[in-house]
Amino acid sequence: REMPWVPILIFLRKLISPPGFDYAKKVLPTMLFLAFVPWVAPRAAATAGLITYMCGFGFIYNRDKEDVPRDEFGQIGEIRPYETQPLYLTCALMVGVHFASKALAKRLVARLVGAPDGLESILKASLVPLGLTFCALFTRVSKPFA
């Protein structure tokens, strides 16, 4: 008889793995830049947030996938269908990071006396890229379903 937590542990072992150096070099500059943008230009926090979610989704979903072939002009030559289970897992990770960042930003700003207006949104816009960076570096959403 198998214990009920064994399949969960197997799933987590397949899901979580450290990144390679090349992949970290690809992810870290983009996501750390997006975490820094709201502090430099607070009015651009919402725009940077949208770009953060798009980049984070791409980095998480496309980890360990082959690059798409390109034609002689450098244009993408193939459109691949998406895989539903890794897509749903990526979306779940992103929603979890969003709500965890929002709760942490609220909690940190609530402790500050006389915090300026907008600090919570700036803090949230900086915490989301950090959480998505962690997910992009340490999770492989397509491996557990292979």
Side-chain angles (χ1 to χ4, degrees):
R1 174 170 152 86
E2 186 178 55
M3 294 299 188
W5 58 80
V6 172
I8 295 171
L9 290 176
I10 292 171
F11 179 81
L12 288 176
R13 279 193 200 121
K14 290 180 183 177
L15 178 69
I16 298 171
S17 66
F21 183 70
D22 292 336
Y23 188 72
K25 277 191 343 188
K26 192 185 310 182
V27 171
L28 283 173
T30 304
M31 297 304 278
L32 293 179
F33 173 75
L34 289 170
F36 184 66
V37 166
W39 295 99
V40 175
R43 291 182 183 243
T47 304
L50 179 63
I51 296 169
T52 298
Y53 286 114
M54 291 188 313
C55 289
F57 180 85
F59 285 137
I60 294 170
Y61 182 77
N62 290 321
R63 182 174 176 192
D64 292 336
K65 293 196 177 179
E66 299 170 4
D67 288 338
V68 293
R70 298 184 180 267
D71 63 8
E72 61 272 5
F73 302 110
Q75 302 295 319
I76 294 174
E78 171 185 358
I79 298 175
R80 297 182 184 155
Y82 63 87
E83 301 167 14
T84 55
Q85 290 176 327
L87 175 75
Y88 295 151
L89 184 56
T90 302
C91 291
L93 285 171
M94 291 181 67
V95 167
V97 165
H98 172 81
F99 285 116
S101 299
K102 188 171 185 173
L104 185 59
K106 274 187 182 294
R107 181 169 283 195
L108 289 174
V109 170
R111 292 179 186 253
L112 295 176
V113 177
D117 291 338
L119 181 63
E120 183 181 329
S121 63
I122 292 170
L123 194 56
K124 180 187 156 282
S126 293
L127 290 173
V128 167
L130 297 177
L132 291 178
T133 301
F134 182 78
C135 288
L137 290 178
F138 293 101
T139 59
R140 292 182 170 174
V141 294
S142 58
K143 192 166 184 175
F145 304 110

